[in-house]
Amino acid sequence: MKKRRKFTKGEKTALTVLGIIMAAVLGVGGYLIVNNVNTANREATNTTHTTSVIITKPEETEEQTGATEKYVSKPKKKKAAEKTTSAAEKATSAKQSETKATETTKSKTKSSSKPKTDSNGVQVIPKVKPTENTSHKSNEKCVVNGVTCYVGDTITVTLNLKSSKILENYQGYTEFDKDYLKFKTISASTGFANNKGNKIYYNTSIITGLDFTSTGTVYTATFEVKKSGSTKIKNTFELLTDIDQNDVSPDSVKDTITVYS
């Protein structure tokens, strides 16, 4: 039997180093394998969990979304809002109708004081009767054309005319004392009227004729009473002609200034 050769010292050293290297390689390889397996397991676990959320509850998510949409839309409250809007529209419509009715009434009231035309085309001038004050702003009195008025009040004055003839033209002016009366407004029944200084000027010309035979109002004016005392408003006709363009004497007609305190 052959005797085994003994390893030399150098060979023993080499084998030892080789053993250490192999052990290190096996250790590192085992560590990497175990780490990779753990990582794979964790990823698999996470993937399974994520998939579970997505897969197991898609229908619930859609139902919840649908429920949210229904909640946001609030159909019942929307209907209530629609009813409210409808009620508001009805109220607005009713108000508009009421306003139109009021405007119609005002229009009729206003037109009732305007001239009417007879079958011959002659304008029949009506007599205006304004409303008097029901309360007064002071106890200080001012007598205007014999009528007791009160300082601070707005009074209404009408110039009325009565003529036995059908007129075609008239022109004139009315004087008042500015110390006692402050002019405010004027409205002519026909033609034109305006204020300048302490006078009111008026005129008209209607070729078809003006009927004052039953007494009609030439104009309506308003004044503010400035101070207590007594004052008079005076009227003067400068020109009057009948339907045949003949001059009519101012002495043949009756003009009256009426004060409504």
Side-chain angles (χ1 to χ4, degrees), residues 166-236:
I166 302 299
L167 302 177
E168 180 177 329
N169 304 289
Y170 61 74
Q171 178 177 305
Y173 60 90
T174 304
E175 296 177 274
F176 61 92
D177 192 332
K178 292 176 65 178
D179 291 336
Y180 289 91
L181 301 174
K182 178 182 177 181
F183 174 83
K184 296 186 72 175
T185 65
I186 189 166
S187 176
S189 297
T190 182
F192 303 93
N194 67 305
N195 162 249
K196 185 176 181 180
N198 69 323
K199 292 182 180 180
I200 292 174
Y201 297 92
Y202 56 86
N203 68 79
T204 192
S205 179
I206 305 295
I207 59 174
T208 54
L210 297 160
D211 187 352
F212 283 94
T213 57
S214 296
T215 304
T217 298
V218 175
Y219 68 74
T220 302
T222 59
F223 297 86
E224 179 184 333
V225 181
K226 295 173 65 177
K227 69 177 185 178
S228 60
S230 179
T231 186
K232 192 170 182 65
I233 302 173
K234 300 177 182 179
N235 180 67
T236 300

Side-chain angles (χ1 to χ4, degrees), residues 56-77:
T56 58
K57 296 187 178 181
E59 295 181 358
E60 293 180 5
T61 303
E62 290 175 358
E63 290 175 357
Q64 290 173 354
T65 302
T68 302
E69 291 175 352
K70 290 179 182 178
Y71 177 77
V72 171
S73 62
K74 298 181 181 178
K76 290 184 180 179
K77 289 190 177 181

Side-chain angles (χ1 to χ4, degrees), residues 2-254:
K2 291 182 179 181
K3 290 183 180 180
R4 293 183 179 180
R5 186 175 64 83
K6 293 182 179 180
F7 292 100
T8 64
K9 188 176 181 180
E11 289 174 341
K12 288 180 179 180
T13 301
L15 288 172
T16 300
V17 172
L18 181 60
I20 292 171
I21 292 173
M22 289 180 66
V25 170
L26 289 173
V28 173
Y31 173 78
L32 291 174
I33 291 170
V34 171
N35 185 58
N36 288 337
V37 170
N38 290 336
T39 301
N41 287 336
R42 285 196 300 271
E43 291 176 353
T45 302
N46 290 337
T47 304
T48 303
H49 178 73
T50 304
T51 305
S52 173
V53 173
I54 297 173
I55 293 175
T56 58
K57 296 187 178 181
E59 295 181 358
E60 293 180 5
T61 303
E62 290 175 358
E63 290 175 357
Q64 290 173 354
T65 302
T68 302
E69 291 175 352
K70 290 179 182 178
Y71 177 77
V72 171
S73 62
K74 298 181 181 178
K76 290 184 180 179
K77 289 190 177 181
K78 185 176 180 181
K79 288 181 180 178
E82 289 175 352
K83 288 181 180 179
T84 303
T85 302
S86 177
E89 290 175 350
K90 288 181 180 179
T92 301
S93 177
K95 189 174 182 180
Q96 290 175 345
S97 299
E98 184 180 351
T99 301
K100 288 182 180 179
T102 303
E103 289 175 352
T104 301
T105 302
K106 287 181 178 180
S107 177
K108 288 181 178 179
T109 302
K110 186 181 290 187
S111 63
S112 64
S113 63
K114 292 295 181 179
K116 297 179 180 179
T117 305
D118 65 14
S119 58
N120 296 319
V122 177
Q123 289 189 19
V124 181
I125 309 301
K127 183 178 180 180
V128 177
K129 185 177 181 180
T131 303
E132 297 190 64
N133 296 318
T134 56
S135 60
H136 306 291
K137 293 187 176 181
S138 74
N139 294 321
E140 297 181 72
K141 298 178 182 180
C142 180
V143 179
V144 182
N145 286 44
V147 177
T148 300
C149 302
Y150 296 85
V151 176
D153 284 0
T154 295
I155 62 173
T156 304
V157 175
T158 60
L159 171 61
N160 299 316
L161 171 64
K162 182 177 177 62
S163 172
S164 60
K165 296 182 177 181
I166 302 299
L167 302 177
E168 180 177 329
N169 304 289
Y170 61 74
Q171 178 177 305
Y173 60 90
T174 304
E175 296 177 274
F176 61 92
D177 192 332
K178 292 176 65 178
D179 291 336
Y180 289 91
L181 301 174
K182 178 182 177 181
F183 174 83
K184 296 186 72 175
T185 65
I186 189 166
S187 176
S189 297
T190 182
F192 303 93
N194 67 305
N195 162 249
K196 185 176 181 180
N198 69 323
K199 292 182 180 180
I200 292 174
Y201 297 92
Y202 56 86
N203 68 79
T204 192
S205 179
I206 305 295
I207 59 174
T208 54
L210 297 160
D211 187 352
F212 283 94
T213 57
S214 296
T215 304
T217 298
V218 175
Y219 68 74
T220 302
T222 59
F223 297 86
E224 179 184 333
V225 181
K226 295 173 65 177
K227 69 177 185 178
S228 60
S230 179
T231 186
K232 192 170 182 65
I233 302 173
K234 300 177 182 179
N235 180 67
T236 300
F237 275 111
E238 298 177 293
L239 172 69
L240 291 162
T241 60
D242 64 17
I243 193 69
D244 298 318
Q245 297 184 352
N246 296 315
D247 290 337
V248 175
S249 172
D251 295 331
S252 67
V253 299
K254 182 180 180 181

